[in-house]
Amino acid sequence: MPELTTEYMSENIERLISNPDIYKWNQSFYFNFYDRHQKTGGFFRIGVLENVGEVNCFAIFFRDGKPLFTRVNMNLPYTEQRLDPGITVAGITMKSTRSQQTAIVKVDTDDFKAELEWDLIHPMGDSIALSKNAQDDAIARELTYVHPEGFCKVTGDIHLRTGEVITIDDKGFRDLSVGPRNWTGLIHYRLAWPIFDNGVGCVAVHGITTGGDSYQKILHDGEQWLTLEKVEEQITYEDDEIGFKHVHWKVWDEKGRLWDFTGKPLFRWMFPYDSFMFVEQMMEYTLADGTKGYGMGEGGFSFPWQGNGN
Protein backbone atom coordinates (compact mmCIF):
# COMPACT_ATOMS: atom_id res chain seq x y z
CA MET A 1 0.00 0.00 0.00
CA PRO A 2 1.42 3.44 -0.89
CA GLU A 3 2.27 5.90 1.85
CA LEU A 4 -0.78 8.10 2.42
CA THR A 5 0.92 11.45 2.28
CA THR A 6 -1.11 14.59 1.70
CA GLU A 7 0.47 14.84 -1.74
CA TYR A 8 -0.49 11.28 -2.67
CA MET A 9 -4.07 11.65 -1.43
CA SER A 10 -4.47 15.00 -3.19
CA GLU A 11 -3.22 13.64 -6.50
CA ASN A 12 -5.34 10.46 -6.36
CA ILE A 13 -8.40 11.72 -4.54
CA GLU A 14 -10.80 10.83 -7.37
CA ARG A 15 -9.45 7.24 -7.43
CA LEU A 16 -9.56 4.39 -4.92
CA ILE A 17 -7.47 5.16 -1.82
CA SER A 18 -7.51 2.43 0.83
CA ASN A 19 -6.60 2.65 4.50
CA PRO A 20 -7.35 -0.51 6.53
CA ASP A 21 -6.09 1.13 9.74
CA ILE A 22 -9.04 3.53 10.15
CA TYR A 23 -12.41 1.79 10.47
CA LYS A 24 -14.49 4.73 9.26
CA TRP A 25 -12.15 5.59 6.40
CA ASN A 26 -14.20 7.65 3.93
CA GLN A 27 -14.06 8.79 0.35
CA SER A 28 -16.84 11.04 -0.86
CA PHE A 29 -17.85 13.01 -3.93
CA TYR A 30 -20.28 15.90 -3.51
CA PHE A 31 -21.99 18.24 -5.99
CA ASN A 32 -24.66 20.92 -5.85
CA PHE A 33 -26.08 23.54 -8.23
CA TYR A 34 -28.71 26.21 -8.57
CA ASP A 35 -30.07 27.74 -11.78
CA ARG A 36 -31.75 31.01 -10.86
CA HIS A 37 -33.56 31.34 -14.19
CA GLN A 38 -35.15 27.90 -13.89
CA LYS A 39 -35.44 28.21 -10.08
CA THR A 40 -34.09 24.67 -10.11
CA GLY A 41 -31.28 23.10 -8.12
CA GLY A 42 -29.98 19.95 -6.51
CA PHE A 43 -27.67 18.23 -4.03
CA PHE A 44 -25.76 15.00 -4.78
CA ARG A 45 -23.35 12.83 -2.82
CA ILE A 46 -21.82 9.40 -2.90
CA GLY A 47 -19.87 8.45 0.22
CA VAL A 48 -17.86 5.22 0.49
CA LEU A 49 -16.90 3.69 3.85
CA GLU A 50 -14.57 0.92 2.69
CA ASN A 51 -13.85 -0.80 6.01
CA VAL A 52 -17.47 -0.56 7.18
CA GLY A 53 -18.48 -2.11 3.86
CA GLU A 54 -21.08 0.53 3.10
CA VAL A 55 -21.95 3.22 0.58
CA ASN A 56 -24.36 6.10 1.14
CA CYS A 57 -25.79 8.33 -1.54
CA PHE A 58 -28.42 10.92 -2.31
CA ALA A 59 -29.76 12.86 -5.27
CA ILE A 60 -32.22 15.65 -4.52
CA PHE A 61 -33.65 17.89 -7.25
CA PHE A 62 -36.01 20.78 -6.56
CA ARG A 63 -37.78 23.56 -8.44
CA ASP A 64 -39.34 26.72 -7.06
CA GLY A 65 -38.92 25.50 -3.49
CA LYS A 66 -40.57 22.09 -4.06
CA PRO A 67 -39.02 18.65 -4.67
CA LEU A 68 -38.73 17.31 -8.21
CA PHE A 69 -36.98 14.02 -7.46
CA THR A 70 -35.55 12.51 -4.27
CA ARG A 71 -33.44 9.40 -3.79
CA VAL A 72 -31.68 8.71 -0.48
CA ASN A 73 -29.86 5.46 0.41
CA MET A 74 -27.64 5.47 3.48
CA ASN A 75 -26.57 1.81 3.95
CA LEU A 76 -25.87 0.26 0.55
CA PRO A 77 -23.34 -2.52 -0.15
CA TYR A 78 -19.70 -1.54 -0.71
CA THR A 79 -18.21 -0.95 -4.17
CA GLU A 80 -14.61 -0.43 -5.24
CA GLN A 81 -15.73 2.06 -7.92
CA ARG A 82 -14.70 5.68 -7.51
CA LEU A 83 -15.22 8.96 -9.39
CA ASP A 84 -12.29 8.04 -11.65
CA PRO A 85 -13.08 6.06 -13.77
CA GLY A 86 -16.71 6.30 -12.59
CA ILE A 87 -19.07 5.11 -9.87
CA THR A 88 -22.72 4.08 -10.15
CA VAL A 89 -24.85 3.56 -7.05
CA ALA A 90 -28.65 3.09 -7.00
CA GLY A 91 -29.15 4.70 -10.39
CA ILE A 92 -26.81 7.61 -9.64
CA THR A 93 -23.61 7.83 -11.70
CA MET A 94 -20.69 10.16 -11.01
CA LYS A 95 -17.73 10.23 -13.37
CA SER A 96 -14.61 12.36 -13.72
CA THR A 97 -14.04 13.25 -17.37
CA ARG A 98 -11.06 15.58 -16.79
CA SER A 99 -9.13 14.95 -13.60
CA GLN A 100 -10.13 17.44 -10.87
CA GLN A 101 -11.57 19.73 -13.53
CA THR A 102 -14.74 18.30 -15.10
CA ALA A 103 -17.21 15.70 -13.87
CA ILE A 104 -20.70 14.55 -14.72
CA VAL A 105 -23.60 13.41 -12.56
CA LYS A 106 -26.33 11.25 -14.10
CA VAL A 107 -29.59 10.01 -12.65
CA ASP A 108 -31.39 7.32 -14.61
CA THR A 109 -34.70 5.90 -13.38
CA ASP A 110 -37.95 4.83 -15.02
CA ASP A 111 -39.63 8.20 -14.48
CA PHE A 112 -36.76 10.69 -14.09
CA LYS A 113 -33.51 11.28 -15.96
CA ALA A 114 -30.84 13.93 -15.70
CA GLU A 115 -27.30 14.49 -16.92
CA LEU A 116 -25.35 17.49 -15.65
CA GLU A 117 -21.72 18.57 -16.03
CA TRP A 118 -19.65 20.49 -13.48
CA ASP A 119 -16.68 22.32 -15.02
CA LEU A 120 -14.42 24.21 -12.64
CA ILE A 121 -14.17 27.98 -13.09
CA HIS A 122 -10.93 28.02 -11.05
CA PRO A 123 -8.71 25.17 -9.79
CA MET A 124 -9.94 23.56 -6.59
CA GLY A 125 -8.63 24.71 -3.22
CA ASP A 126 -7.98 22.32 -0.31
CA SER A 127 -9.98 23.78 2.56
CA ILE A 128 -8.01 21.78 5.14
CA ALA A 129 -4.58 22.92 3.98
CA LEU A 130 -5.63 26.49 3.18
CA SER A 131 -7.45 26.84 6.51
CA LYS A 132 -4.10 26.01 8.12
CA ASN A 133 -5.80 23.38 10.28
CA ALA A 134 -3.42 21.50 12.53
CA GLN A 135 -4.14 17.96 13.71
CA ASP A 136 -5.64 19.32 16.93
CA ASP A 137 -8.46 20.77 14.81
CA ALA A 138 -11.43 18.38 15.00
CA ILE A 139 -12.41 18.72 11.33
CA ALA A 140 -8.88 17.96 10.14
CA ARG A 141 -8.50 15.12 12.64
CA GLU A 142 -11.92 13.45 12.66
CA LEU A 143 -13.70 14.31 9.40
CA THR A 144 -11.27 14.62 6.50
CA TYR A 145 -7.55 14.82 5.77
CA VAL A 146 -7.85 16.33 2.29
CA HIS A 147 -10.89 18.34 1.12
CA PRO A 148 -10.52 20.22 -2.20
CA GLU A 149 -13.48 22.43 -3.17
CA GLY A 150 -14.36 24.51 -6.17
CA PHE A 151 -17.14 26.38 -7.87
CA CYS A 152 -18.18 25.47 -11.36
CA LYS A 153 -20.22 26.21 -14.42
CA VAL A 154 -23.05 23.65 -14.43
CA THR A 155 -24.87 22.68 -17.62
CA GLY A 156 -27.15 19.89 -18.75
CA ASP A 157 -30.73 18.66 -19.00
CA ILE A 158 -33.33 17.25 -16.63
CA HIS A 159 -36.12 15.09 -18.10
CA LEU A 160 -39.36 14.83 -16.11
CA ARG A 161 -41.87 12.01 -16.50
CA THR A 162 -44.32 14.54 -17.93
CA GLY A 163 -42.05 14.95 -20.95
CA GLU A 164 -40.84 18.38 -19.85
CA VAL A 165 -37.13 19.11 -20.26
CA ILE A 166 -35.43 21.61 -17.95
CA THR A 167 -32.19 23.00 -19.39
CA ILE A 168 -29.63 24.00 -16.75
CA ASP A 169 -26.97 26.68 -17.31
CA ASP A 170 -25.68 28.35 -14.14
CA LYS A 171 -23.25 27.56 -11.30
CA GLY A 172 -22.62 25.09 -8.52
CA PHE A 173 -20.11 23.74 -6.01
CA ARG A 174 -18.30 20.42 -5.86
CA ASP A 175 -15.92 18.87 -3.38
CA LEU A 176 -13.83 15.76 -2.85
CA SER A 177 -12.93 14.19 0.46
CA VAL A 178 -10.66 11.48 1.81
CA GLY A 179 -9.93 10.63 5.44
CA PRO A 180 -11.84 9.50 8.53
CA ARG A 181 -15.49 10.40 8.96
CA ASN A 182 -16.31 10.28 12.67
CA TRP A 183 -19.45 12.32 13.33
CA THR A 184 -19.65 11.40 17.02
CA GLY A 185 -17.19 14.10 18.07
CA LEU A 186 -19.19 16.83 16.32
CA ILE A 187 -22.07 18.38 18.26
CA HIS A 188 -23.14 20.78 15.54
CA TYR A 189 -21.87 22.62 12.50
CA ARG A 190 -23.11 25.37 10.22
CA LEU A 191 -21.69 26.46 6.90
CA ALA A 192 -22.04 28.87 3.99
CA TRP A 193 -20.89 28.14 0.43
CA PRO A 194 -21.97 31.14 -1.65
CA ILE A 195 -20.93 31.78 -5.25
CA PHE A 196 -21.35 35.49 -5.97
CA ASP A 197 -21.93 37.15 -9.32
CA ASN A 198 -18.72 39.19 -8.93
CA GLY A 199 -16.61 36.01 -9.06
CA VAL A 200 -16.15 35.56 -5.31
CA GLY A 201 -16.74 32.14 -3.74
CA CYS A 202 -16.53 31.29 -0.06
CA VAL A 203 -16.21 28.15 2.06
CA ALA A 204 -17.02 29.01 5.67
CA VAL A 205 -17.60 26.06 8.03
CA HIS A 206 -17.90 26.43 11.81
CA GLY A 207 -17.91 23.16 13.73
CA ILE A 208 -18.81 22.98 17.41
CA THR A 209 -17.20 19.85 18.79
CA THR A 210 -16.68 18.08 22.09
CA GLY A 211 -13.17 19.54 22.03
CA GLY A 212 -14.03 23.12 21.08
CA ASP A 213 -14.56 25.12 17.90
CA SER A 214 -13.24 23.92 14.54
CA TYR A 215 -13.17 25.60 11.11
CA GLN A 216 -12.80 25.25 7.39
CA LYS A 217 -12.37 28.78 6.08
CA ILE A 218 -11.23 29.78 2.61
CA LEU A 219 -12.32 32.34 0.02
CA HIS A 220 -11.68 32.80 -3.68
CA ASP A 221 -11.60 36.50 -4.57
CA GLY A 222 -11.90 35.86 -8.32
CA GLU A 223 -8.14 35.53 -8.73
CA GLN A 224 -6.88 33.13 -6.05
CA TRP A 225 -7.83 31.07 -3.02
CA LEU A 226 -7.13 32.83 0.26
CA THR A 227 -7.18 31.80 3.90
CA LEU A 228 -9.87 33.40 6.02
CA GLU A 229 -8.27 34.80 9.15
CA LYS A 230 -11.54 35.36 11.02
CA VAL A 231 -15.13 34.10 10.74
CA GLU A 232 -18.25 35.38 12.51
CA GLU A 233 -21.82 34.27 11.91
CA GLN A 234 -25.29 34.90 13.23
CA ILE A 235 -27.83 32.15 12.47
CA THR A 236 -31.53 32.75 12.94
CA TYR A 237 -33.39 29.45 13.00
CA GLU A 238 -36.94 28.49 12.17
CA ASP A 239 -39.18 27.62 15.11
CA ASP A 240 -38.10 23.97 14.81
CA GLU A 241 -34.51 25.06 15.72
CA ILE A 242 -33.24 23.08 12.73
CA GLY A 243 -33.71 25.05 9.51
CA PHE A 244 -32.01 28.35 8.73
CA LYS A 245 -34.43 31.27 8.57
CA HIS A 246 -31.77 33.93 8.01
CA VAL A 247 -27.96 33.96 8.17
CA HIS A 248 -25.41 36.73 8.47
CA TRP A 249 -21.75 35.87 7.91
CA LYS A 250 -18.72 38.12 8.24
CA VAL A 251 -15.38 36.76 7.01
CA TRP A 252 -12.00 38.49 6.87
CA ASP A 253 -9.46 37.22 4.34
CA GLU A 254 -5.68 37.12 4.77
CA LYS A 255 -5.39 40.51 3.07
CA GLY A 256 -7.52 42.06 5.80
CA ARG A 257 -10.62 42.56 3.65
CA LEU A 258 -14.08 42.07 5.15
CA TRP A 259 -16.69 40.14 3.16
CA ASP A 260 -20.08 40.70 4.79
CA PHE A 261 -23.07 38.77 3.47
CA THR A 262 -26.54 37.62 4.44
CA GLY A 263 -28.63 34.71 3.20
CA LYS A 264 -32.19 33.44 3.01
CA PRO A 265 -33.30 29.87 2.19
CA LEU A 266 -34.83 28.77 -1.11
CA PHE A 267 -35.19 25.05 -0.34
CA ARG A 268 -34.51 22.65 2.55
CA TRP A 269 -33.97 18.90 2.76
CA MET A 270 -33.01 16.75 5.74
CA PHE A 271 -30.88 13.58 5.76
CA PRO A 272 -30.99 11.39 8.88
CA TYR A 273 -27.89 9.26 9.37
CA ASP A 274 -28.18 7.16 12.53
CA SER A 275 -27.09 9.44 15.39
CA PHE A 276 -26.47 12.47 13.18
CA MET A 277 -28.64 14.60 10.88
CA PHE A 278 -27.72 16.86 7.97
CA VAL A 279 -29.91 19.77 6.89
CA GLU A 280 -29.11 20.90 3.36
CA GLN A 281 -30.46 24.24 2.20
CA MET A 282 -30.04 26.16 -1.03
CA MET A 283 -29.66 29.84 -0.21
CA GLU A 284 -29.81 33.19 -1.92
CA TYR A 285 -26.92 35.24 -0.56
CA THR A 286 -26.35 39.00 -0.75
CA LEU A 287 -23.08 40.84 -0.16
CA ALA A 288 -23.14 44.14 1.69
CA ASP A 289 -22.81 45.99 -1.64
CA GLY A 290 -25.92 44.23 -3.02
CA THR A 291 -24.14 41.61 -5.16
CA LYS A 292 -26.21 38.43 -5.34
CA GLY A 293 -25.00 34.89 -4.99
CA TYR A 294 -26.36 31.38 -4.59
CA GLY A 295 -25.13 28.27 -2.86
CA MET A 296 -25.50 25.87 -0.01
CA GLY A 297 -26.21 26.63 3.61
CA GLU A 298 -25.92 23.50 5.73
CA GLY A 299 -26.33 22.47 9.33
CA GLY A 300 -25.46 19.24 11.11
CA PHE A 301 -26.86 18.02 14.42
CA SER A 302 -25.77 15.23 16.74
CA PHE A 303 -28.23 13.06 18.67
CA PRO A 304 -29.31 13.01 21.44
CA TRP A 305 -30.15 16.65 20.71
CA GLN A 306 -27.46 18.96 22.03
CA GLY A 307 -28.60 22.23 20.49
CA ASN A 308 -27.96 24.19 17.32
CA GLY A 309 -24.95 26.20 18.42
CA ASN A 310 -26.85 29.35 19.39
Side-chain angles (χ1 to χ4, degrees), residues 54-88:
E54 288 184 357
V55 175
N56 54 74
C57 68
F58 57 75
I60 309 297
F61 291 84
F62 65 91
R63 179 169 61 178
D64 204 14
K66 300 293 190 296
L68 275 177
F69 175 85
T70 64
R71 174 161 289 190
V72 180
N73 294 276
M74 304 309 280
N75 301 99
L76 296 171
Y78 174 71
T79 176
E80 289 190 352
Q81 297 176 349
R82 295 298 187 269
L83 191 65
D84 180 1
I87 180 170
T88 298

Side-chain angles (χ1 to χ4, degrees), residues 256-270:
R257 295 173 296 183
L258 167 63
W259 306 87
D260 185 326
F261 58 91
T262 58
K264 63 179 183 180
L266 301 173
F267 177 76
R268 180 176 85 170
W269 197 261
M270 296 188 291

Side-chain angles (χ1 to χ4, degrees), residues 188 190-192 232-250 260-268 279 281-288 292 296-299 301 308 310:
H188 167 69
R190 66 275 297 273
L191 65 77
E232 293 180 358
E233 80 279 0
Q234 295 178 338
I235 310 295
T236 302
Y237 285 91
E238 301 283 0
D239 291 342
D240 62 10
E241 301 183 74
I242 293 173
F244 294 163
K245 186 175 184 179
H246 182 268
V247 302
H248 185 185
W249 290 79
K250 294 181 179 180
D260 185 326
F261 58 91
T262 58
K264 63 179 183 180
L266 301 173
F267 177 76
R268 180 176 85 170
V279 181
Q281 298 187 221
M282 186 58 67
M283 309 285 288
E284 179 182 81
Y285 290 102
T286 307
L287 281 168
K292 292 294 184 183
M296 187 170 69
E298 187 179 70
F301 305 88
N308 58 24
N310 281 2

Side-chain angles (χ1 to χ4, degrees), residues 33 35 38 40 61 103-106 113-119 153-159 165-171:
F33 80 95
D35 186 315
Q38 303 286 3
T40 298
F61 291 84
I104 58 171
V105 175
K106 296 182 183 179
K113 300 183 187 300
E115 182 169 348
L116 300 170
E117 180 183 82
W118 275 254
D119 188 54
K153 181 177 177 60
V154 182
T155 56
D157 292 318
I158 299 168
H159 296 259
V165 178
I166 304 172
T167 298
I168 300 302
D169 186 358
D170 211 314
K171 296 184 181 69

Side-chain angles (χ1 to χ4, degrees), residues 136 138 141 185 187 208-213:
D136 59 354
R141 183 182 66 249
I187 297 171
I208 299 165
T209 80
T210 54
D213 290 341

Side-chain angles (χ1 to χ4, degrees), residues 174-301:
R174 61 170 297 200
D175 72 43
L176 303 163
S177 181
V178 61
R181 190 53 61 98
N182 298 316
W183 293 111
T184 54
L186 192 59
I187 297 171
H188 167 69
Y189 73 87
R190 66 275 297 273
L191 65 77
W193 283 2
I195 308 168
F196 291 105
D197 290 342
N198 61 1
V200 172
C202 181
V203 175
V205 183
H206 180 185
I208 299 165
T209 80
T210 54
D213 290 341
S214 183
Y215 291 92
Q216 288 171 281
K217 49 188 193 310
I218 62 175
L219 179 137
H220 200 290
D221 66 357
E223 297 183 359
Q224 61 180 324
W225 285 106
L226 300 166
T227 299
L228 292 175
E229 297 294 339
K230 183 179 178 182
V231 174
E232 293 180 358
E233 80 279 0
Q234 295 178 338
I235 310 295
T236 302
Y237 285 91
E238 301 283 0
D239 291 342
D240 62 10
E241 301 183 74
I242 293 173
F244 294 163
K245 186 175 184 179
H246 182 268
V247 302
H248 185 185
W249 290 79
K250 294 181 179 180
V251 300
W252 287 261
D253 69 27
E254 62 186 76
K255 297 181 179 181
R257 295 173 296 183
L258 167 63
W259 306 87
D260 185 326
F261 58 91
T262 58
K264 63 179 183 180
L266 301 173
F267 177 76
R268 180 176 85 170
W269 197 261
M270 296 188 291
F271 302 94
Y273 189 54
D274 298 337
S275 59
F276 205 83
M277 177 176 69
F278 311 90
V279 181
E280 210 113 327
Q281 298 187 221
M282 186 58 67
M283 309 285 288
E284 179 182 81
Y285 290 102
T286 307
L287 281 168
D289 66 3
T291 302
K292 292 294 184 183
Y294 297 88
M296 187 170 69
E298 187 179 70
F301 305 88

